[in-house]
Amino acid sequence: IRRCILRFNKGIDGGGMFIAGNVEAQILSSVMESNEAGNNGGGAWIELGIAEQSLVIFANCVFSKNAAVTNIGGGIGNVIAKTAVINCTFDGNTAGVNGGAIANLAPGLESEPPMTFYATTTIANSIFTNHTPAAIFNEQLGSNIATLHIRNSLLEDGIAGIVNNNGTIDDQGGNLTYD
């Protein structure tokens, strides 16, 4: 997807867009604005991709005024998938529970045979402003693994403002805080 504007859309999950399965997708130079998900991922919801086999890249995008009304990920919700956010701006996104801008989640799923599920979000050179609640949420449950890599980004409350529940935060440096 290149140079698109996704505005005023609604859905249960993924108000602006819903990406599922083992896919490779690039969303480039696009705007997700004023989209609403009743549950998760106001701007975009990415789910259930085997992390080693899928990758969703957002580059040079704007996420503004999106809402995940009752749950997580006002701008982007990423669950059991691999997502990269590069040179993006997030402003004024909201979530009912956590991750006003981005939520990265590896929930406690069970499988037979037992497997470990991964949720990985990499953020580089991005700006986060005016989110409710905290801009970024990272959570892993059970034996699953949630990892958030972040570098060279501007965060309203800095790295300390990231809500982390048992996951891994990889602060790769160059991140700035503003008042």
Side-chain angles (χ1 to χ4, degrees):
I1 297 172
R2 185 182 307 256
R3 295 187 188 112
C4 289
I5 297 173
L6 300 170
R7 184 182 290 145
F8 305 124
N9 298 293
K10 290 187 176 187
I12 295 170
D13 288 315
M17 67 175 63
F18 185 103
I19 301 169
N22 294 327
V23 298
E24 290 189 14
Q26 295 182 2
I27 297 85
L28 309 173
S29 302
S30 294
V31 176
M32 277 58 67
E33 180 181 22
S34 299
N35 297 296
E36 181 181 295
N39 199 18
N40 299 299
W45 181 247
I46 302 109
E47 73 174 13
L48 299 176
I50 305 300
E52 296 80 24
Q53 299 173 1
S54 65
L55 176 61
V56 177
I57 298 172
F58 293 93
N60 304 312
C61 292
V62 174
F63 290 82
S64 178
K65 301 175 190 149
N66 299 292
V69 176
T70 62
N71 213 350
I72 62 171
I76 297 174
N78 182 64
V79 62
I80 310 177
K82 187 175 183 180
T83 300
V85 175
I86 304 161
N87 298 325
C88 292
T89 298
F90 292 80
D91 181 62
N93 298 291
T94 62
V97 177
N98 264 318
I102 295 176
N104 186 57
L105 177 64
L109 298 177
E110 300 293 327
S111 66
E112 194 55 49
M115 292 177 61
T116 298
F117 295 100
Y118 297 87
T120 303
T121 297
T122 300
I123 300 168
N125 308 322
S126 294
I127 299 170
F128 297 86
T129 57
N130 305 313
H131 300 287
T132 306
I136 301 171
F137 174 63
N138 187 56
E139 179 176 64
Q140 75 182 36
L141 301 171
S143 63
N144 299 315
I145 298 173
T147 305
L148 177 75
H149 306 281
I150 186 165
R151 69 179 172 274
N152 302 329
S153 293
L154 179 64
L155 298 122
E156 191 168 12
D157 297 317
I159 295 297
I162 295 172
V163 175
N164 186 43
N165 184 16
N166 298 319
T168 299
I169 304 289
D170 176 19
D171 178 357
Q172 298 178 341
N175 297 300
L176 299 173
T177 303
Y178 72 92
D179 292 328

